[in-house]
CSV table of all heavy atoms in Angstrom, one decimal:
chain,number,residue,atom,x,y,z
A,112,THR,N,40.7,105.3,-62.9
A,112,THR,CA,41.2,105.5,-61.5
A,112,THR,C,40.7,106.8,-60.9
A,112,THR,O,40.4,107.8,-61.7
A,112,THR,CB,42.7,105.4,-61.5
A,112,THR,OG1,43.2,106.5,-62.4
A,112,THR,CG2,43.2,104.1,-62.0
A,113,THR,N,40.8,106.9,-59.6
A,113,THR,CA,40.4,108.2,-58.9
A,113,THR,C,41.6,108.4,-57.9
A,113,THR,O,42.4,107.6,-57.7
A,113,THR,CB,39.1,108.0,-58.1
A,113,THR,OG1,39.3,107.2,-57.0
A,113,THR,CG2,38.0,107.4,-59.0
A,114,PRO,N,41.6,109.6,-57.3
A,114,PRO,CA,42.6,109.9,-56.3
A,114,PRO,C,42.5,109.0,-55.1
A,114,PRO,O,43.5,108.9,-54.3
A,114,PRO,CB,42.3,111.4,-55.9
A,114,PRO,CG,41.7,111.9,-57.1
A,114,PRO,CD,40.8,110.8,-57.7
A,115,ASN,N,41.4,108.4,-54.9
A,115,ASN,CA,41.2,107.5,-53.8
A,115,ASN,C,41.5,106.0,-54.2
A,115,ASN,O,40.8,105.5,-55.1
A,115,ASN,CB,39.7,107.5,-53.3
A,115,ASN,CG,39.5,106.7,-52.1
A,115,ASN,OD1,40.3,105.9,-51.7
A,115,ASN,ND2,38.3,106.8,-51.5
A,116,PRO,N,42.6,105.4,-53.7
A,116,PRO,CA,43.0,104.1,-54.2
A,116,PRO,C,41.9,103.0,-53.9
A,116,PRO,O,42.0,102.0,-54.5
A,116,PRO,CB,44.3,103.8,-53.4
A,116,PRO,CG,44.2,104.8,-52.2
A,116,PRO,CD,43.5,106.0,-52.7
A,117,SER,N,41.0,103.3,-53.0
A,117,SER,CA,39.9,102.3,-52.7
A,117,SER,C,38.7,102.4,-53.6
A,117,SER,O,37.8,101.6,-53.6
A,117,SER,CB,39.5,102.5,-51.3
A,117,SER,OG,40.5,102.1,-50.4
A,118,ALA,N,38.7,103.5,-54.5
A,118,ALA,CA,37.5,103.7,-55.3
A,118,ALA,C,37.9,103.7,-56.8
A,118,ALA,O,39.0,104.2,-57.2
A,118,ALA,CB,36.9,105.1,-55.0
A,119,LEU,N,37.1,103.1,-57.6
A,119,LEU,CA,37.2,103.1,-59.1
A,119,LEU,C,36.0,103.7,-59.7
A,119,LEU,O,34.9,103.4,-59.2
A,119,LEU,CB,37.5,101.7,-59.6
A,119,LEU,CG,38.2,101.6,-60.9
A,119,LEU,CD1,39.6,102.2,-60.9
A,119,LEU,CD2,38.4,100.1,-61.3
A,120,LYS,N,36.1,104.4,-60.8
A,120,LYS,CA,35.0,105.0,-61.5
A,120,LYS,C,34.7,104.3,-62.7
A,120,LYS,O,35.6,104.1,-63.6
A,120,LYS,CB,35.4,106.5,-61.8
A,120,LYS,CG,34.3,107.3,-62.5
A,120,LYS,CD,34.9,108.7,-62.8
A,120,LYS,CE,34.0,109.6,-63.6
A,120,LYS,NZ,34.6,110.9,-63.9
A,121,PHE,N,33.5,103.7,-62.9
A,121,PHE,CA,33.1,103.0,-64.1
A,121,PHE,C,32.2,103.9,-64.9
A,121,PHE,O,31.1,104.2,-64.6
A,121,PHE,CB,32.4,101.7,-63.7
A,121,PHE,CG,33.3,100.7,-63.0
A,121,PHE,CD1,33.4,100.7,-61.6
A,121,PHE,CD2,34.0,99.8,-63.7
A,121,PHE,CE1,34.2,99.9,-60.9
A,121,PHE,CE2,34.8,98.9,-63.0
A,121,PHE,CZ,35.0,98.9,-61.6
A,122,VAL,N,32.8,104.3,-66.1
A,122,VAL,CA,32.1,105.3,-66.9
A,122,VAL,C,31.3,104.5,-68.0
A,122,VAL,O,31.8,103.6,-68.6
A,122,VAL,CB,33.1,106.2,-67.6
A,122,VAL,CG1,32.4,107.2,-68.5
A,122,VAL,CG2,34.0,106.9,-66.6
A,123,VAL,N,30.0,104.9,-68.1
A,123,VAL,CA,29.1,104.3,-69.0
A,123,VAL,C,28.8,105.2,-70.2
A,123,VAL,O,28.7,106.4,-70.1
A,123,VAL,CB,27.8,103.9,-68.3
A,123,VAL,CG1,26.8,103.2,-69.2
A,123,VAL,CG2,28.1,103.1,-67.0
A,124,SER,N,28.6,104.6,-71.4
A,124,SER,CA,28.4,105.4,-72.6
A,124,SER,C,26.9,105.8,-72.7
A,124,SER,O,26.3,105.8,-73.8
A,124,SER,CB,28.8,104.6,-73.9
A,124,SER,OG,28.0,103.4,-73.9
A,125,ARG,N,26.3,106.2,-71.6
A,125,ARG,CA,24.9,106.7,-71.6
A,125,ARG,C,24.7,107.5,-70.3
A,125,ARG,O,25.4,107.2,-69.3
A,125,ARG,CB,23.9,105.6,-71.8
A,125,ARG,CG,24.0,104.5,-70.8
A,125,ARG,CD,22.7,103.7,-70.6
A,125,ARG,NE,21.8,104.4,-69.8
A,125,ARG,CZ,20.7,103.8,-69.3
A,125,ARG,NH1,20.4,102.6,-69.7
A,125,ARG,NH2,19.8,104.5,-68.6
A,126,MET,N,23.7,108.4,-70.4
A,126,MET,CA,23.4,109.1,-69.1
A,126,MET,C,22.6,108.2,-68.2
A,126,MET,O,21.7,107.5,-68.6
A,126,MET,CB,22.5,110.3,-69.5
A,126,MET,CG,22.1,111.2,-68.3
A,126,MET,SD,23.6,112.0,-67.5
A,126,MET,CE,23.9,113.3,-68.8
A,127,LEU,N,23.0,108.2,-66.9
A,127,LEU,CA,22.3,107.4,-65.9
A,127,LEU,C,21.4,108.2,-65.0
A,127,LEU,O,20.3,107.7,-64.7
A,127,LEU,CB,23.4,106.7,-65.0
A,127,LEU,CG,24.4,105.8,-65.8
A,127,LEU,CD1,25.4,105.3,-64.8
A,127,LEU,CD2,23.7,104.6,-66.4
A,128,THR,N,21.8,109.4,-64.7
A,128,THR,CA,21.0,110.2,-63.8
A,128,THR,C,21.5,111.6,-63.8
A,128,THR,O,22.7,111.9,-64.1
A,128,THR,CB,21.0,109.7,-62.3
A,128,THR,OG1,20.2,110.5,-61.5
A,128,THR,CG2,22.4,109.6,-61.8
A,129,LYS,N,20.7,112.6,-63.4
A,129,LYS,CA,21.1,114.0,-63.2
A,129,LYS,C,21.2,114.3,-61.8
A,129,LYS,O,21.6,115.4,-61.4
A,129,LYS,CB,20.1,114.9,-63.9
A,129,LYS,CG,20.1,114.9,-65.4
A,129,LYS,CD,19.3,116.0,-65.9
A,129,LYS,CE,19.4,116.2,-67.4
A,129,LYS,NZ,18.6,117.3,-68.0
A,130,ASN,N,21.0,113.3,-60.9
A,130,ASN,CA,21.0,113.4,-59.5
A,130,ASN,C,22.1,112.5,-58.9
A,130,ASN,O,22.0,111.3,-59.0
A,130,ASN,CB,19.6,113.1,-58.9
A,130,ASN,CG,18.6,114.0,-59.4
A,130,ASN,OD1,18.3,115.1,-59.0
A,130,ASN,ND2,17.8,113.5,-60.4
A,131,ALA,N,23.0,113.1,-58.1
A,131,ALA,CA,24.0,112.3,-57.5
A,131,ALA,C,23.4,111.5,-56.3
A,131,ALA,O,22.7,112.1,-55.5
A,131,ALA,CB,25.2,113.2,-57.0
A,132,VAL,N,23.6,110.2,-56.3
A,132,VAL,CA,23.1,109.4,-55.2
A,132,VAL,C,24.2,108.5,-54.6
A,132,VAL,O,24.9,107.8,-55.4
A,132,VAL,CB,21.9,108.4,-55.8
A,132,VAL,CG1,21.2,107.8,-54.6
A,132,VAL,CG2,20.9,109.3,-56.6
A,133,GLU,N,24.2,108.4,-53.3
A,133,GLU,CA,25.3,107.6,-52.7
A,133,GLU,C,24.6,106.6,-51.8
A,133,GLU,O,23.6,106.8,-51.1
A,133,GLU,CB,26.2,108.5,-51.8
A,133,GLU,CG,27.3,107.8,-51.2
A,133,GLU,CD,28.3,108.7,-50.5
A,133,GLU,OE1,27.9,109.7,-49.8
A,133,GLU,OE2,29.5,108.6,-50.7
A,134,TYR,N,25.2,105.3,-51.8
A,134,TYR,CA,24.7,104.2,-51.0
A,134,TYR,C,25.9,103.7,-50.2
A,134,TYR,O,26.9,103.3,-50.7
A,134,TYR,CB,24.2,103.1,-51.9
A,134,TYR,CG,23.1,103.6,-52.8
A,134,TYR,CD1,23.4,103.9,-54.2
A,134,TYR,CD2,21.8,103.7,-52.4
A,134,TYR,CE1,22.3,104.3,-55.0
A,134,TYR,CE2,20.8,104.1,-53.2
A,134,TYR,CZ,21.1,104.4,-54.6
A,134,TYR,OH,20.1,104.9,-55.4
A,135,LYS,N,25.6,103.7,-48.8
A,135,LYS,CA,26.7,103.2,-47.9
A,135,LYS,C,26.5,101.7,-47.6
A,135,LYS,O,27.5,101.1,-47.1
A,135,LYS,CB,26.6,104.0,-46.6
A,135,LYS,CG,26.9,105.5,-46.7
A,135,LYS,CD,28.4,105.7,-46.9
A,135,LYS,CE,28.7,107.2,-46.8
A,135,LYS,NZ,30.2,107.4,-47.0
A,136,ASN,N,25.3,101.2,-47.8
A,136,ASN,CA,25.1,99.7,-47.6
A,136,ASN,C,23.9,99.3,-48.4
A,136,ASN,O,23.2,100.1,-48.9
A,136,ASN,CB,25.0,99.4,-46.1
A,136,ASN,CG,23.8,100.3,-45.5
A,136,ASN,OD1,22.7,100.1,-45.9
A,136,ASN,ND2,24.2,101.1,-44.5
A,137,ILE,N,23.7,97.9,-48.4
A,137,ILE,CA,22.6,97.4,-49.2
A,137,ILE,C,21.2,97.8,-48.7
A,137,ILE,O,20.3,97.8,-49.5
A,137,ILE,CB,22.8,95.8,-49.2
A,137,ILE,CG1,22.0,95.2,-50.4
A,137,ILE,CG2,22.4,95.2,-47.9
A,137,ILE,CD1,22.2,93.8,-50.6
A,138,ASP,N,21.1,98.1,-47.5
A,138,ASP,CA,19.8,98.5,-46.9
A,138,ASP,C,19.3,99.8,-47.5
A,138,ASP,O,18.1,100.1,-47.4
A,138,ASP,CB,19.8,98.6,-45.4
A,138,ASP,CG,20.0,97.2,-44.7
A,138,ASP,OD1,19.6,96.2,-45.4
A,138,ASP,OD2,20.5,97.2,-43.6
A,139,GLN,N,20.2,100.6,-48.0
A,139,GLN,CA,19.8,101.9,-48.6
A,139,GLN,C,19.5,101.9,-50.1
A,139,GLN,O,19.2,102.9,-50.7
A,139,GLN,CB,21.0,102.9,-48.4
A,139,GLN,CG,21.4,103.1,-46.9
A,139,GLN,CD,22.6,104.1,-46.8
A,139,GLN,OE1,23.3,104.3,-47.8
A,139,GLN,NE2,22.9,104.5,-45.6
A,140,THR,N,19.5,100.7,-50.7
A,140,THR,CA,19.5,100.6,-52.1
A,140,THR,C,18.1,100.3,-52.7
A,140,THR,O,18.0,99.9,-53.9
A,140,THR,CB,20.4,99.5,-52.6
A,140,THR,OG1,20.0,98.2,-52.0
A,140,THR,CG2,21.8,99.7,-52.2
A,141,ALA,N,17.0,100.7,-52.0
A,141,ALA,CA,15.7,100.4,-52.6
A,141,ALA,C,15.5,101.1,-53.9
A,141,ALA,O,14.7,100.7,-54.8
A,141,ALA,CB,14.6,100.9,-51.5
A,142,SER,N,16.1,102.3,-54.1
A,142,SER,CA,15.9,103.1,-55.3
A,142,SER,C,16.9,102.6,-56.4
A,142,SER,O,16.7,103.1,-57.5
A,142,SER,CB,16.2,104.5,-55.0
A,142,SER,OG,17.5,104.8,-54.5
A,143,SER,N,17.8,101.7,-56.1
A,143,SER,CA,18.8,101.4,-57.2
A,143,SER,C,19.0,99.8,-57.2
A,143,SER,O,19.8,99.3,-56.4
A,143,SER,CB,20.1,102.1,-57.0
A,143,SER,OG,21.1,101.6,-57.9
A,144,PRO,N,18.3,99.1,-58.1
A,144,PRO,CA,18.6,97.7,-58.2
A,144,PRO,C,20.0,97.4,-58.6
A,144,PRO,O,20.5,96.4,-58.2
A,144,PRO,CB,17.6,97.3,-59.4
A,144,PRO,CG,16.5,98.3,-59.3
A,144,PRO,CD,17.2,99.6,-58.9
Side-chain angles (χ1 to χ4, degrees):
T112 58
T113 75
N115 184 350
S117 295
L119 201 64
K120 179 180 175 183
F121 293 90
V122 183
V123 183
S124 60
R125 53 159 282 190
M126 181 68 74
L127 301 175
T128 178
K129 287 188 174 183
N130 302 276
V132 189
E133 185 172 43
Y134 303 99
K135 294 288 189 179
N136 56 63
I137 196 170
D138 290 337
Q139 299 177 347
T140 59
S142 59
S143 175

